[in-house]
Amino acid sequence: RKNAEEEKKAAAKRKEEEAIKKKEQEQKQKEEAAKQKKDLEEKRRQEQRSTLAIRRVIQKVRLASPETFAEVQKELQEILEVELENTGSQKERIKEESGKGLEQATKRIDSIKEQRQKELDKKEAEEKKRLEQQARTDELLKELSDLVDAAEASIERLKELSAPLCDKIEDSVKEVEACALAVEEAGTDAKSATKACTDFILVKGNDIKDPASSPLVPGIQTPGASDTKQALGKLLQRIN
């Protein structure tokens, strides 16, 4: 009977120990499951952080200018080296996005550079044309100025020759006729010189213009006019 009681006590003790052991195992399993869940959530959060960080730089690459492209391209390479492995299931997708982002940015930068070069070429061509026009205008103004000087000189000579006619009443007819002939010749010269000026304006007037502007003829000096307009206006006043 004593042995039976001892066996009964022993069995009860074993049962209690098994229950405790089972409880401890269940608790350990719960803790491991909780830890796995926590680790998984942390991994997902890290994937999201890494994915977002890389996508921010991809966006910077897409919007880069020719001046900043090399810098942000380097930044993308660096962040991929650090964060790509942390993107988990998004890794391949992120690699694809970064590749497309670089490709789009490269095409965009090339397009911007091409457009800038076209604008630069256009400006250089316009500047060359402006300088050529300015040189042509200066040449024509100089030519017209010489013609006006010659016309004014002819008119002054005509005046000088005409003045003595009034004093030659006492002189012989031959002397008066000679003086009149000289005046007539001077008058013809003056008319020819003046006509040369007006013909010049008619033929070449449209070529006298401010660079990148419309022809100045007929030109009138106006407040704030350019040097070319002012110079032409003065010459036209002298002709008239």
Side-chain angles (χ1 to χ4, degrees):
R1 186 177 178 182
K2 185 177 180 180
N3 289 336
E5 289 178 358
E6 289 178 354
E7 288 178 1
K8 187 177 180 180
K9 287 180 179 180
K13 186 176 181 181
R14 284 196 300 272
K15 187 175 181 180
E16 183 181 355
E17 289 175 350
E18 289 174 357
I20 292 173
K21 187 176 181 181
K22 183 179 180 181
K23 187 175 181 180
E24 289 175 348
Q25 288 177 344
E26 290 175 350
Q27 181 63 30
K28 185 177 181 181
Q29 289 175 352
K30 288 181 180 180
E31 291 175 354
E32 288 178 354
K35 185 176 183 301
Q36 288 178 355
K37 183 179 180 181
K38 183 179 180 181
D39 291 345
L40 182 59
E41 290 175 350
E42 178 57 31
K43 184 179 180 180
R44 287 175 179 170
R45 284 193 292 269
Q46 180 59 50
E47 287 180 5
Q48 291 175 350
R49 286 194 294 268
S50 298
T51 299
L52 183 60
I54 294 173
R55 281 176 172 161
R56 284 198 189 103
V57 181
I58 291 174
Q59 184 65 13
K60 288 174 67 176
V61 170
R62 289 195 182 106
L63 300 176
S65 66
E67 292 76 19
T68 62
F69 180 66
E71 181 181 348
V72 294
Q73 185 180 19
K74 181 181 178 183
E75 185 180 351
L76 178 59
Q77 292 173 346
E78 290 174 348
I79 199 167
L80 285 173
E81 291 174 0
V82 174
E83 299 289 358
L84 184 59
E85 293 302 322
N86 297 327
T87 57
S89 60
Q90 298 289 319
K91 180 178 178 180
E92 293 304 318
R93 185 173 180 179
I94 290 298
K95 285 174 65 176
E96 183 180 353
E97 287 181 13
S98 63
K100 286 184 177 179
L102 278 172
E103 182 181 355
Q104 292 170 357
T106 300
K107 290 181 179 179
R108 179 173 169 273
I109 295 301
D110 289 344
S111 178
I112 291 174
K113 287 181 177 179
E114 182 180 354
Q115 184 61 34
R116 287 183 178 179
Q117 187 60 48
K118 286 181 180 178
E119 292 175 357
L120 180 60
D121 292 345
K122 182 180 178 182
K123 288 181 180 179
E124 289 178 349
E126 289 175 349
E127 178 63 12
K128 180 181 179 182
K129 183 178 179 181
R130 187 191 71 80
L131 292 175
E132 290 174 350
Q133 179 59 53
Q134 184 63 62
R136 176 61 175 161
T137 295
D138 291 344
E139 179 184 346
L140 291 173
L141 284 174
K142 175 64 170 59
E143 188 175 347
L144 178 58
S145 179
D146 292 343
L147 290 174
V148 173
D149 288 344
E152 289 178 338
S154 296
I155 292 171
E156 286 300 319
R157 182 169 178 272
L158 175 61
K159 290 179 179 179
E160 290 174 1
L161 293 173
S162 298
L165 279 178
C166 297
D167 301 329
K168 291 189 178 289
I169 299 174
E170 303 282 333
D171 295 342
S172 67
V173 173
K174 187 177 289 189
E175 289 177 336
V176 173
E177 287 178 347
C179 183
L181 179 61
V183 171
E184 183 179 354
E185 290 176 351
T188 301
D189 291 342
K191 287 180 180 180
S192 297
T194 302
K195 186 175 184 299
C197 295
T198 56
D199 288 347
F200 182 90
I201 292 296
L202 290 173
V203 174
K204 298 182 178 179
N206 284 337
D207 293 331
I208 303 176
K209 61 180 77 173
D210 271 335
S213 70
S214 58
L216 298 178
V217 176
I220 301 176
Q221 183 175 349
T222 56
S226 68
D227 291 343
T228 301
K229 284 184 178 181
Q230 291 181 24
L232 182 59
K234 289 178 180 179
L235 289 173
L236 292 176
Q237 287 176 359
R238 289 167 64 186
I239 293 172
N240 295 331

